[in-house]
Each structure stands twice: as structure tokens, then as C-alpha cells.
Amino acid sequence: MYLPIPPERPSPMSESKLAGQFFDAAIGLLERVRDEESGSIAAAGDVIADAVVAGGRLFAFGAGHSSLAAQDVVYRAGGLALMNVLAVPGTLGVDVMPATLGSALERVDGLAGAVLDSSPATSGDVLVIISLSGRNALPVEMALNARALGLKVIGVTSVAYAEGTRSRHSSGGFLRDHCDIVLDSKISIGDAELDVEGIEAPFAPASTVVTSAIMQAMMAAAAEGLLERGVEPPLLRSGNVDGGHEWNGRVMTEYADRIFYRH
């Protein structure tokens, strides 16, 4: 008996045009950042490499979802062991209740100064500040206070917000106005890549994908800069490969005075 061959089931990706459109949008943004921000990313890597060679410490700060990209370069396989999170209580994600409190804290004046004053950050260190909009008081004041203390500040933000929205800081300035180096994520205002008829709100944000890629590219540039300076980059290995824990233990012991996530 002849049985017709059933049609081949399409792959999961072909079943959703919107999923494919999101990937296309994210890839397009990554390509723009690669092509347009390469010089700034290399410069940021040099700043980090110089600080490592000079005995400086490295910090990353982000509030809300921006904190994800900051955490992504701290204590991870393939990352620089010296990267530390500069934590502001209540702003590291959506674990605070209610979640809206984290957004409110980003608009509080004076919080950044108090955090920096109680942190180990000092002159000669590097602080990477991640803020998509760069318009709230917390990232702006973090940059202002950090530079006043003598830190080098690298800002990762969307310049579009500075050109299309109003600052929420009393100075009227944005994060980009108070950094030594600015890396533009190219994310459009609203952080949503898809806008479809029948769905009222735009959706599918790409800022985490792009910002995390910027951070990892910066770490790669820093490793390259250290190699050019004749310094072995203090990188961590995966604890899930043989010898990883022993390797990491040696790195952490050598740089113990510049690693703060162990205390």
C-alpha cells in the first residue's frame, strides 16, 4: 500500500517571522557597533590595560537591566579576574520588591556619592558605567563623582537618548557628558526592536544583547592591550574544566589586593 510522504516539518525559526526579525535587528545593531565604535572600544581596552599595569582596580556599575551587562564581566570564565561590581543596594536587578523601587532609586540625588565614598575605588582606578538612557541622576552622579576622585570613567550608553530626551539630573547633563570614553550602543529610544500592527506596545528589547557584547569586546581589547605591554592578562578559566579551580586560585592569589568579590 502506498503511503504518501508527509511534508517536512518546518524548523522552529521558520514558524515565527517575528523571532527572525528580532535576530536580524540584533545582528544589525551588533554590526553597527562593531563598525562605528571600534576605535572607542580599542581606546577603552587601552585604559583598562594601563590601569592593570599600573596596579589599578577595575569596577563596573549598572542599574536595573543595565546591571546584567556589568555582572557579565565579573567572576566568569574567560573574563578578567580584576573586574568588580560596584554595587548600589536595590539597583542590581529585579530582586528588590517592589521591582519599581529600583527604578525610583536611579533618580535619587546623592546616592552615587555615598556609594563611592564607602567603596574601595580610588584615583587611578577604572569605572565602567552602563546606563542605556544615561539620563537618571544615579549614573550621571556616579560619573561626576568618580572623575572627581581621579577615576577613569568609561560610559556605555545610547547617545540617542541624550539627543531625544531630557536629563533627569539637576545639571541637565547625561552620562555621556561626564565620561573619558563613551561607547554608543546605538539602541533607539524605548529599547524595542519590533513594532507590529495589532500589538499596541513595541517589544523585543536588544539592549542587553548589544551592551553585553560591547563589554566583552572591551575585555578582549584590554587583553590585547596587556599582551602588547608584555603582561599576561589575569584571566579566569571555567571551573568546569580540569585544572580550572587551580588556575583561578593562582590568579586570585596573585591579584588578591585588587579583587573584592571574594570578601
Side-chain angles (χ1 to χ4, degrees):
M1 181 180 189
Y2 173 76
L3 294 176
I5 299 174
E8 183 178 346
R9 179 173 174 79
S11 66
M13 273 305 306
S14 65
E15 293 179 0
S16 174
K17 293 181 180 179
L18 295 184
Q21 288 175 16
F22 172 76
F23 276 110
D24 289 342
I27 291 169
L29 285 164
L30 290 169
E31 289 177 339
R32 280 192 64 196
V33 170
R34 178 198 62 196
D35 296 341
E36 299 173 17
E37 298 298 307
S38 58
S40 296
I41 290 172
D46 281 336
V47 166
I48 292 172
D50 286 340
V52 172
V53 172
R57 285 80 61 86
L58 311 176
F59 299 90
F61 164 76
H65 286 93
S66 291
S67 72
L68 298 175
Q71 295 177 58
D72 192 47
V73 295
V74 177
Y75 185 54
R76 67 159 304 143
L80 286 176
L82 275 62
M83 289 300 305
N84 302 275
V85 167
L86 185 63
V88 176
T91 69
L92 282 180
V94 294
D95 57 333
V96 61
M97 294 295 177
T100 51
L101 176 60
S103 298
L105 288 173
E106 291 186 58
R107 305 181 189 184
V108 174
D109 293 331
L111 184 56
V115 169
L116 277 169
D117 288 344
S118 61
S119 79
T122 188
S123 180
D125 294 345
V126 175
L127 173 60
V128 182
I129 301 176
I130 306 163
S131 174
L132 178 61
S133 73
R135 68 189 300 218
N136 290 313
L138 185 55
V140 174
E141 290 188 358
M142 190 70 76
L144 281 166
N145 283 273
R147 293 182 85 187
L149 289 172
L151 279 75
K152 289 285 188 180
V153 175
I154 300 168
V156 182
T157 187
S158 169
V159 172
Y161 278 86
E163 297 174 345
T165 67
R166 291 184 178 181
S167 170
R168 289 175 174 152
H169 187 247
S170 57
S171 70
F174 287 75
L175 170 61
R176 73 163 189 177
D177 300 320
H178 305 290
C179 299
D180 296 285
I181 297 173
V182 175
L183 305 180
D184 182 7
S185 65
K186 316 295 180 182
I187 300 295
S188 59
I189 296 173
D191 190 17
E193 296 304 316
L194 303 183
D195 192 354
V196 177
E197 184 177 354
I199 300 178
E200 288 295 321
F203 58 102
S207 60
T208 303
V209 173
V210 176
T211 304
S212 292
I214 290 174
M215 294 296 289
Q216 294 298 343
M218 190 193 317
M219 296 302 104
E224 183 178 14
L226 287 167
L227 185 63
E228 292 172 349
R229 291 159 175 76
V231 175
E232 174 69 24
L235 298 168
L236 297 174
R237 292 179 180 263
S238 171
N240 295 315
V241 300
D242 293 342
H245 287 297
E246 292 77 13
W247 172 281
N248 293 341
R250 289 193 297 271
V251 172
M252 289 184 178
T253 297
E254 182 177 352
Y255 291 94
D257 60 330
R258 292 189 261 175
I259 296 174
F260 303 101
Y261 49 79
R262 299 185 72 188
H263 304 299

